[in-house]
Protein backbone atom coordinates (compact mmCIF):
# COMPACT_ATOMS: atom_id res chain seq x y z
CA UNK A 1 0.00 0.00 0.00
CA UNK A 2 1.39 3.38 -0.96
CA UNK A 3 0.67 6.28 1.37
CA UNK A 4 0.12 9.77 0.02
CA UNK A 5 3.04 12.13 0.64
CA UNK A 6 0.92 14.40 2.80
CA UNK A 7 0.71 11.68 5.46
CA UNK A 8 4.46 11.94 6.15
CA UNK A 9 4.98 14.34 9.06
CA UNK A 10 6.84 17.50 8.05
CA UNK A 11 9.46 16.94 10.74
CA UNK A 12 10.29 13.51 9.35
CA UNK A 13 10.71 14.93 5.84
CA UNK A 14 13.06 17.62 7.16
CA UNK A 15 15.04 15.05 9.15
CA UNK A 16 15.43 12.81 6.10
CA UNK A 17 16.56 15.77 3.98
CA UNK A 18 19.12 16.79 6.64
CA UNK A 19 20.44 13.22 6.88
CA UNK A 20 20.84 13.05 3.10
CA UNK A 21 22.69 16.38 3.03
CA UNK A 22 25.00 15.34 5.88
CA UNK A 23 25.71 12.01 4.18
CA UNK A 24 26.50 13.76 0.90
CA UNK A 25 28.99 16.00 2.69
CA UNK A 26 30.74 13.29 4.72
CA UNK A 27 34.34 13.23 3.60
CA UNK A 28 36.54 10.22 3.18
CA UNK A 29 39.59 10.84 5.35
CA UNK A 30 42.88 11.20 3.53
CA UNK A 31 45.11 8.17 4.02
CA UNK A 32 47.77 8.61 6.68
CA UNK A 33 50.51 8.63 4.04
CA UNK A 34 48.47 10.53 1.42
CA UNK A 35 48.65 14.22 0.64
CA UNK A 36 45.95 16.40 2.19
CA UNK A 37 45.05 18.99 -0.43
CA UNK A 38 43.17 21.38 1.84
CA UNK A 39 41.71 23.55 -0.94
CA UNK A 40 40.40 20.49 -2.79
CA UNK A 41 39.03 18.91 0.40
CA UNK A 42 37.41 22.20 1.39
CA UNK A 43 35.79 22.59 -2.04
CA UNK A 44 34.43 19.03 -1.99
CA UNK A 45 33.37 18.90 1.63
CA UNK A 46 32.66 22.43 2.83
CA UNK A 47 31.97 24.23 -0.43
CA UNK A 48 28.41 22.93 -0.55
CA UNK A 49 27.50 25.40 2.21
CA UNK A 50 30.41 27.87 2.31
CA UNK A 51 30.35 29.38 -1.18
CA UNK A 52 33.32 30.44 -3.31
CA UNK A 53 35.78 28.45 -1.22
CA UNK A 54 34.54 30.10 1.99
CA UNK A 55 34.73 33.62 0.59
CA UNK A 56 30.95 34.13 0.44
CA UNK A 57 27.90 33.12 2.42
CA UNK A 58 25.84 30.27 1.03
CA UNK A 59 23.79 27.84 3.11
CA UNK A 60 26.49 28.48 5.72
CA UNK A 61 28.26 31.69 6.67
CA UNK A 62 31.15 33.37 4.89
CA UNK A 63 34.39 32.19 6.48
CA UNK A 64 36.78 34.75 4.98
CA UNK A 65 37.54 37.38 7.65
CA UNK A 66 35.62 35.39 10.26
CA UNK A 67 35.52 37.10 13.66
CA UNK A 68 35.47 33.66 15.32
CA UNK A 69 38.68 32.46 16.95
CA UNK A 70 40.53 29.30 15.92
CA UNK A 71 39.22 27.34 18.91
CA UNK A 72 35.62 28.08 17.90
CA UNK A 73 36.24 27.06 14.28
CA UNK A 74 38.04 23.86 15.37
CA UNK A 75 35.15 22.97 17.68
CA UNK A 76 32.57 23.68 14.96
CA UNK A 77 34.41 21.47 12.44
CA UNK A 78 34.73 18.63 14.96
CA UNK A 79 31.30 18.81 16.58
CA UNK A 80 29.14 20.60 14.03
CA UNK A 81 26.01 22.55 14.89
CA UNK A 82 22.72 20.69 15.31
CA UNK A 83 20.40 21.42 12.41
CA UNK A 84 23.02 23.45 10.55
CA UNK A 85 26.38 21.71 10.12
CA UNK A 86 27.40 18.06 10.38
CA UNK A 87 30.22 17.03 12.72
CA UNK A 88 33.47 15.92 11.08
CA UNK A 89 35.22 14.54 14.17
CA UNK A 90 36.97 11.36 13.11
CA UNK A 91 36.84 12.30 9.45
CA UNK A 92 39.83 14.65 9.80
CA UNK A 93 42.86 14.50 12.06
CA UNK A 94 43.69 17.44 14.31
CA UNK A 95 46.55 18.32 11.94
CA UNK A 96 44.16 18.35 8.97
CA UNK A 97 41.72 20.57 10.88
CA UNK A 98 44.63 22.91 11.66
CA UNK A 99 45.37 23.06 7.91
CA UNK A 100 41.72 23.89 7.22
CA UNK A 101 41.81 26.72 9.77
CA UNK A 102 45.02 28.02 8.20
CA UNK A 103 43.27 27.89 4.80
CA UNK A 104 40.27 29.82 6.17
CA UNK A 105 42.53 32.46 7.74
CA UNK A 106 44.41 32.93 4.46
CA UNK A 107 41.27 33.50 2.35
CA UNK A 108 41.36 36.70 0.32
CA UNK A 109 38.88 38.04 -2.25
CA UNK A 110 39.40 36.64 -5.75
CA UNK A 111 40.91 38.98 -8.33
CA UNK A 112 38.61 40.01 -11.13
Amino acid sequence: MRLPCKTIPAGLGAALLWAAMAQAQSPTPAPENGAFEVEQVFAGTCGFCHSDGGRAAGKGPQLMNSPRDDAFIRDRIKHGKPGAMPAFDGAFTDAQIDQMIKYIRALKPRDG
Side-chain angles (χ1 to χ4, degrees):
M1 177 178 176
R2 186 178 158 114
L3 297 174
C5 289
K6 64 183 176 182
T7 62
I8 298 173
L12 177 60
L16 291 172
L17 177 61
W18 172 248
M21 285 175 38
Q23 180 66 26
Q25 296 177 60
S26 296
T28 301
E32 291 297 319
N33 60 353
F36 184 74
E37 299 291 335
V38 69
E39 189 170 359
Q40 183 179 2
V41 170
F42 189 94
T45 304
C46 312
F48 181 78
C49 292
H50 302 284
S51 297
D52 193 19
R55 291 173 183 84
K59 294 180 186 313
Q62 172 181 311
L63 298 175
M64 181 176 66
N65 300 323
S66 175
R68 304 293 190 166
D69 65 20
D70 290 0
F72 178 91
I73 295 171
R74 180 176 293 101
D75 183 71
R76 185 56 53 92
I77 292 169
K78 282 186 160 196
H79 305 291
K81 179 180 180 183
M85 179 174 162
F88 293 100
D89 192 23
F92 299 118
T93 66
D94 287 341
Q96 290 169 333
I97 292 172
D98 289 343
Q99 288 179 45
M100 294 175 94
I101 294 169
K102 186 176 178 181
Y103 166 82
I104 290 166
R105 295 294 182 211
L107 287 171
K108 302 289 182 225
R110 293 192 193 272
D111 292 334

